[in-house]
């Protein structure tokens, strides 16, 4: 889909890059010539991913909890010493389905700490350095389709992702005059162990998710990684402050008043609904 030098020598940090979508983006970015940094809380996981992907290019793993601002500052400092980043991908997240009235304060803090504060820590750590050094930079955040409308049963995540999108849109304007671009991807369901074990943990939920999606399939990590590669590349240089939804049309399916008719009405129903021959003339 792209020339193999699309991201040549671009230095990219992917938070939560040890697993799932983050790992998929790391792999794709390496194939396109980038120098990749990944971070996550579990040192063994990020190290193993870096070791497995190292055949594709230069990749370095950093154990780091993005909720901890000082830990983020130390990691970014250490990365910068070897050469400044060009791109930050805010991908790390925490989420699970639960009834909101049963959530403990720690549950709220945990998800909002990872998603909102983690994104804020990484974005400001990179942004401040880019601005100080008069350097161009790009931030891509991985959001979710429910960020603008909210969603029952994943409320801490919905609140935090909405904040991430507000942060991204605000800074797209505030920093846009100094060469910094901010965008986001809102993916629909893409099978990863981390996400599906927490938000689609039962077969009936998976069946429901497949039924409501117009193409009746889930997205793939490769599709997400290609869109991400485009959005962090110079080829998308005029896209700033956008959220690109990538969900097979699932979001729109939920919004349309009559969109569910196709699931209920059969061919004979549609035939019966057609005006009878000459009926119009009689009226
Ligand atoms: C209710 C829960 C819970 C659950 C955890 N908690 N899971 N409460 N229902 N299912 C509560 C705990 O009881 C605890 O509160 C508090 O949350 C913190 O839990 P810990 O396990 O101590 O925290 P931590 O180790 O920081 O783990 C964070 C986590 C965990 C978010 C809870 O799930 C995690 O590590 N997630 C990272 C990966 C991830 O979530 N990936 C999916 C992203 S998918 P108390 O009060 O008991 O101490 C996504 C979009 C999907 O974001 C969209 C699909 C279409
Ligand atoms: P995942 O595999 O669970 O990825 C989450 C990653 O974040 C993990 O590698 C995890 O590693 C890391 N992480 C969590 N807390 C962290 C912290 N405090 N500090 C640093 N890293 C942390 O799930 P995924 O499906 O790939 O999700 C990736 C992104 O896509 C998330 O932003 C998610 O909200 C978004 N998304 C996914 C889907 C989907 O269907 N898959 C749909 C919409 C949006 P550690 O546990 O080692 O820290």
């Amino acid at each position: 889909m792209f020339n193999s030098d699309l991201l040549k020598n671009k230095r990219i940090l992917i938070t939560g890059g040890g697993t799932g979508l983050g790992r998929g983006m790391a792999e794709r970015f390496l194939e396109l010539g980038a120098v990749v940094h990944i971070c996550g809380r579990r040192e063994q996981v990020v190290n193993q991913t870096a070791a497995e992907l190292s055949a594709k290019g230069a990749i370095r793993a950093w154990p780091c909890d993005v909720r901890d601002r000082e830990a983020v500052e130390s990691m970014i400092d250490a990365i910068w010493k070897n050469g400044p980043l060009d791109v930050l991908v805010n991908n790390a997240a925490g989420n699970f389905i639960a009834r909101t009235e049963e959530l403990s304060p720690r549950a709220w803090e945990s998800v909002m700490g990872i998603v909102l504060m983690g994104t804020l820590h990484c974005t400001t750590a990179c942004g401040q350095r880019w601005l100080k050094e008069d350097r161009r930079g790009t931030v891509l955040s991985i959001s979710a389709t429910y960020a603008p409308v909210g969603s029952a049963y994943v409320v801490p995540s919905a609140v935090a992702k909405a904040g991430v999108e507000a942060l991204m849109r605000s800074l797209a304007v505030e920093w846009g005059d100094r060469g910094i671009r901010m965008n986001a991807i809102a993916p629909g369901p893409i099978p990863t162990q981390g996400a599906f074990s927490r938000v689609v943990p039962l077969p009936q939920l998976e069946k429901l998710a497949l039924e409501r999606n117009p193409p009746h399939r889930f997205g793939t990590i490769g599709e997400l990684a290609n869109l991400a590669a485009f959005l962090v590349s110079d080829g998308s240089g005029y896209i700033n402050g956008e959220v690109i939804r990538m969900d097979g049309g699932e979001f729109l399916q939920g919004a349309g008043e009559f969109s569910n008719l196709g699931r209920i009405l059969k061919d004979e129903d549609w035939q019966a609904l057609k005006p009878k021959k000459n009926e119009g003339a009689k009226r």
Side-chain angles (χ1 to χ4, degrees):
M1 181 167 171
F2 300 116
N3 289 334
S4 58
D5 63 352
L6 183 80
L7 302 176
K8 194 168 169 41
N9 297 330
K10 275 206 189 295
R11 305 171 60 87
I12 302 178
L13 169 63
I14 305 168
T15 67
T19 63
L21 305 186
R23 181 188 164 122
M25 287 185 276
E27 183 169 6
R28 192 76 185 103
F29 296 171
L30 287 170
E31 289 164 356
L32 296 169
V35 174
V36 174
H37 297 265
I38 56 172
C39 76
R41 290 167 301 178
R42 290 165 297 165
E43 183 166 11
Q44 197 255 333
V45 171
V46 281
N47 281 344
Q48 190 178 330
T49 295
E52 286 168 11
L53 297 183
S54 60
K56 299 206 172 231
I59 178 166
R60 171 105 192 243
W62 302 87
C64 177
D65 186 331
V66 295
R67 288 174 291 194
D68 180 344
R69 198 186 67 81
E70 284 180 13
V72 169
E73 279 293 326
S74 304
M75 172 180 65
I76 299 289
D77 254 345
I79 291 175
W80 230 264
K81 284 201 175 94
N82 287 313
L85 289 169
D86 301 296
V87 176
L88 165 68
V89 181
N90 290 308
N91 167 78
N95 200 359
F96 49 77
I97 52 167
R99 293 187 292 192
T100 307
E101 65 271 27
E102 291 170 4
L103 290 172
S104 72
R106 275 202 73 233
W108 281 94
E109 279 163 21
S110 178
V111 173
M112 293 182 63
I114 302 169
V115 177
L116 182 55
M117 296 314 292
T119 298
L120 182 66
H121 294 150
C122 295
T123 303
T124 50
C126 290
Q128 284 164 346
R129 285 166 177 81
W130 285 327
L131 294 173
K132 195 167 159 217
E133 297 166 15
D134 200 14
R135 191 175 277 289
R136 301 174 76 80
T138 297
V139 180
L140 176 67
S141 298
I142 308 303
S143 186
T145 54
Y146 48 71
V149 287
S151 175
Y153 306 115
V154 287
V155 177
S157 171
V159 170
K161 295 282 193 190
V164 167
E165 292 193 3
L167 176 74
M168 184 272 303
R169 287 191 171 104
S170 306
L171 295 181
V173 174
E174 188 171 335
W175 293 350
D177 61 348
R178 283 161 286 171
I180 299 175
R181 281 196 307 132
M182 315 276 303
N183 290 298
I185 298 176
I190 299 174
T192 65
Q193 215 274 330
F196 272 44
S197 64
R198 293 177 172 94
V199 299
V200 197
L202 301 167
Q204 61 268 40
L205 299 184
E206 186 166 329
K207 188 166 171 280
L208 177 71
L210 279 172
E211 272 171 10
R212 68 198 287 266
N213 203 308
H216 301 307
R217 73 166 173 89
F218 293 129
T220 69
I221 294 176
E223 287 167 333
L224 184 281
N226 278 334
L227 178 58
F230 170 65
L231 288 173
V232 303
S233 76
D234 296 337
S236 65
Y238 207 48
I239 301 178
N240 186 28
E242 284 298 328
V243 182
I244 316 291
R245 203 166 46 228
M246 196 206 89
D247 71 344
E250 181 192 55
F251 181 87
L252 295 174
Q253 196 279 341
E257 175 72 36
F258 298 100
S259 297
N260 280 320
L261 295 191
R263 286 159 61 177
I264 296 163
L265 298 184
K266 304 276 171 279
D267 187 50
E268 56 270 27
D269 299 318
W270 289 113
Q271 295 302 341
L273 285 168
K274 281 185 183 167
K276 304 285 169 296
K277 221 176 168 190
N278 297 328
E279 195 181 47
K282 269 187 246 153
R283 267 209 302 267

